[in-house]
Amino acid sequence: MAVKDPMLARLGQNLRRAREKRGWSQEELAFHCKLHRTYIGAVERGEYNVTVLTLRKITDTLGMRLTDALRGSVKRSTRR
């Protein structure tokens, strides 16, 4: 397996934490998002570079903001 991008790995951790907080399995989240269970698992493991629209679908379903899903995964730029 290829090395995971740290940003995608952190995003996946944030989504997993939110899902588990709701008490949902990956299958339950996938059902509510109308996505496949294996896709949710791959996103949580940082294996997929999820699109913004799909990420919004997942975060809306989990009742979280996009910024919370990305928290800690994006390095702040030193350029201004």
Side-chain angles (χ1 to χ4, degrees):
M1 179 189 290
V3 176
K4 296 176 194 166
D5 183 286
M7 181 179 172
L8 296 177
R10 178 58 141 191
L11 170 63
Q13 290 170 357
N14 292 343
L15 293 174
R16 176 178 286 136
R17 235 186 322 274
R19 174 183 58 77
E20 289 174 344
K21 186 175 179 182
R22 279 189 163 259
W24 285 353
S25 66
Q26 290 177 345
E27 188 171 16
E28 288 170 309
L29 176 58
F31 174 79
H32 291 292
C33 291
K34 296 180 175 62
L35 297 169
H36 198 276
R37 175 190 51 80
T38 58
Y39 182 81
I40 295 293
V43 169
E44 288 185 357
R45 290 187 301 274
E47 295 172 356
Y48 285 170
N49 188 3
V50 62
T51 67
V52 173
L53 294 177
T54 302
L55 180 57
R56 187 178 68 185
K57 182 186 289 190
I58 295 169
T59 57
D60 284 353
T61 301
L62 289 171
M64 67 188 301
R65 298 182 322 198
L66 279 170
T67 55
D68 292 333
L70 294 170
R71 186 162 319 246
S73 63
V74 180
K75 291 182 181 178
R76 294 195 181 267
S77 175
T78 55
R79 297 186 312 178
R80 294 214 178 199

